[in-house]
Amino acid sequence: MPAPPSNKTVLVSGYCDPKFQAVKDAFTENLQSRNEIGASVSIVHKGKTIVDLWGGYKDSERLHPWEENTLVCVMSVSKAIASIAVLSLVDKKIIDIEAPVAKYWPEFAQGGKENITVRCMLAQLAGIPVVDAAPENSLYDYGVIEHGLEIQKPLWPAGSTPCYHSFTHGPLCQQLVYKTTGKSLNTYLKEDVFAPLGLGIEFHLGLSEEDIARCADITVEDGVPSIMKMGDPDTLLSRAWRPMPKDGNFFQDKRFRTFEFASGNGHSNARSLAKLYGTLAMDCAHEKHAPNQPRALSKACLEDAIQEQWNGVEVMTHRHFRFGTGFMLNNPYFRIGNNARSFGHPGLGGANSFADPDSEIGFGYCGNRVHAIDETGPCATALIDALYKSL
């Protein structure tokens, strides 16, 4: 059940450009009356941070205030960041996006998967949303998911059926990065994607003890649609998530927090998400940056990645999505302003991150309540609406 309203004063800290006061007002309203416990929001516009706010509490008892460096699980926001790692390898010519995944991961060429391309995989068209060989509660067992993906037969011909690879997208990206670099996805992102940008981006797949101490605790409302479907054995979503342990609120489980699972356990904050997507927005907007300004991805790579690969109701969650190559695009479920070219990814229950390449915006929002919503939700929507009205 949702926590009862708190009689404590809602504290909001950070910076907001006066022109974007409406965003701060919406953020405060999220905490006061839209049932948020604690959260952060950040917006980068044309390379400059215009909003960087945090407020509320890290726990449902409202004893520990949300702080400037608080981390929180951002759920499926992690999927697009896993895609960024693979796309960076494409950009460096280490991976050919039109080549079969099996060229880099030979064991993958089993069960009729020998011709599935990297693009097909990143576009959620590979037809392997499940890992049937992985037993229940096996997520944390080393190598089980990877081996299961190697022998898994596609559920339908690759490229034929849009399907949100809710569980498998992260492990697929993880193994492709490992096979081509010898590094874990977490290490590759930190050393080869984030560090060269020099922006202090924090995104963790596997937390240290020190980082765990900074984490907000996740509270899950009753009636969250995706979680309900995961518990229904007759759904494809339940079949896909069978390896996930079912023991209570796993978000606070140390195994979950320290494991690398790029489909859903990235921990970050809004500032880092906005910086990353703000960089991507500028990468996409400009052929060349100012001198000494590093890029995350080339304009050519990003423009290719945000070309629509499919647009329609997919078979995992029966929602209407649009996908590019590695990114979710603006769609009826993921409503991120009025630009069809905007790209990013939402997270379970309300987390949100995206880039608008034409307005050169990077946006990040994340809180610690998983709301019972089946789309962008009122909290992120209020912030996004306020942002675009203020531009």
Side-chain angles (χ1 to χ4, degrees):
M1 294 292 293
S6 171
N7 58 8
K8 291 189 176 183
T9 302
V10 174
L11 299 176
V12 172
S13 302
Y15 168 76
C16 181
D17 184 312
K19 181 180 176 182
F20 296 88
Q21 178 65 36
V23 177
K24 184 175 183 179
D25 293 342
F27 181 67
T28 304
E29 189 72 10
N30 285 349
L31 295 165
Q32 289 180 335
S33 61
R34 295 193 184 99
N35 213 22
E36 207 70 288
I37 299 170
S40 60
V41 62
S42 191
I43 302 167
V44 172
H45 183 220
K46 296 187 176 180
K48 179 183 178 183
T49 297
I50 55 172
V51 175
D52 186 35
L53 300 169
W54 58 92
Y57 297 88
K58 295 195 292 184
D59 59 312
S60 59
E61 292 79 17
R62 293 174 166 83
L63 299 175
H64 304 286
W66 196 286
E67 298 173 304
E68 182 176 3
N69 68 346
T70 293
L71 298 169
V72 69
C73 183
V74 295
M75 317 294 178
S76 289
V77 166
S78 309
K79 291 184 175 72
I81 298 179
S83 297
I84 290 168
V86 176
L87 289 170
S88 79
L89 292 167
V90 172
D91 217 13
K92 295 171 183 175
K93 312 299 183 187
I94 294 171
I95 290 176
D96 179 350
I97 202 163
E98 308 298 354
V101 172
K103 176 180 178 181
Y104 310 102
W105 179 4
E107 300 89 345
F108 187 77
Q110 301 180 57
K113 303 193 303 298
E114 60 274 9
N115 294 321
I116 294 176
T117 66
V118 175
R119 184 185 297 281
C120 187
M121 184 204 88
L122 289 176
Q124 315 264 324
L125 290 168
I128 44 174
V130 299
V131 194
D132 289 330
E136 290 187 9
N137 303 317
S138 63
L139 177 63
Y140 307 130
D141 296 339
Y142 181 77
V144 169
I145 302 301
E146 291 78 8
H147 176 68
L149 287 169
E150 289 169 357
I151 64 175
Q152 179 69 43
K153 293 181 179 180
L155 302 191
W156 40 78
S160 69
T161 305
C163 176
Y164 180 42
H165 284 46
S166 173
F167 181 85
T168 59
H169 181 80
L172 287 165
C173 291
Q174 287 172 224
Q175 195 66 359
L176 192 52
V177 168
Y178 176 73
K179 290 291 188 179
T180 52
T181 69
K183 298 180 179 182
S184 72
L185 179 59
N186 186 56
T187 299
Y188 179 78
L189 282 167
K190 290 179 184 296
E191 294 181 354
D192 298 82
V193 179
F194 302 149
L197 298 176
L199 297 174
I201 292 171
E202 282 203 272
F203 178 85
H204 307 275
L205 289 164
L207 293 166
S208 66
E209 290 286 350
E210 183 179 1
D211 291 330
I212 289 174
R214 295 192 282 137
C215 275
D217 288 343
I218 296 292
T219 296
V220 182
E221 286 187 353
D222 291 337
V224 177
S226 291
I227 292 177
M228 292 177 68
K229 290 177 182 177
M230 287 177 192
D232 180 350
D234 294 329
T235 65
L236 184 59
L237 200 63
S238 176
R239 178 179 169 187
W241 283 83
R242 186 177 65 163
M244 172 64 77
K246 308 300 190 294
D247 47 351
N249 188 341
F250 58 81
F251 293 108
Q252 274 70 264
D253 187 332
K254 184 176 180 180
R255 294 177 302 167
F256 179 78
R257 284 177 161 173
T258 58
F259 193 68
E260 182 171 317
F261 177 56
S263 283
N265 84 332
H267 286 72
S268 188
N269 52 43
R271 179 185 306 112
S272 294
L273 296 175
K275 285 180 178 179
L276 177 59
Y277 277 98
T279 298
L280 292 171
M282 292 186 69
D283 288 346
C284 202
H286 302 287
E287 195 68 50
K288 294 183 179 180
H289 279 182
N292 301 320
Q293 183 176 343
R295 307 184 70 101
L297 296 170
S298 70
K299 178 178 174 66
C301 180
L302 270 171
E303 286 289 355
D304 177 71
I306 65 173
Q307 296 303 305
E308 181 181 291
Q309 299 298 307
W310 56 271
N311 179 1
V313 177
E314 52 82 36
V315 300
M316 176 66 78
T317 65
H318 308 292
R319 295 169 177 148
H320 189 144
F321 289 165
R322 289 175 63 234
F323 256 90
T325 301
F327 297 109
M328 192 178 289
L329 307 178
N330 203 345
N331 65 59
Y333 168 78
F334 182 45
R335 292 178 288 115
I336 48 175
N338 54 13
N339 184 5
R341 281 165 45 81
S342 292
F343 61 93
H345 213 287
L348 177 72
N352 195 295
S353 61
F354 71 89
D356 180 335
D358 300 325
S359 296
E360 296 182 54
I361 287 170
F363 177 91
Y365 180 66
C366 45
N368 58 345
R369 183 188 291 283
V370 176
H371 295 267
I373 56 176
D374 206 19
E375 31 72 28
T376 305
C379 293
T381 297
L383 295 166
I384 295 167
D385 288 348
L387 162 63
Y388 280 95
K389 287 177 183 177
S390 300
L391 282 175

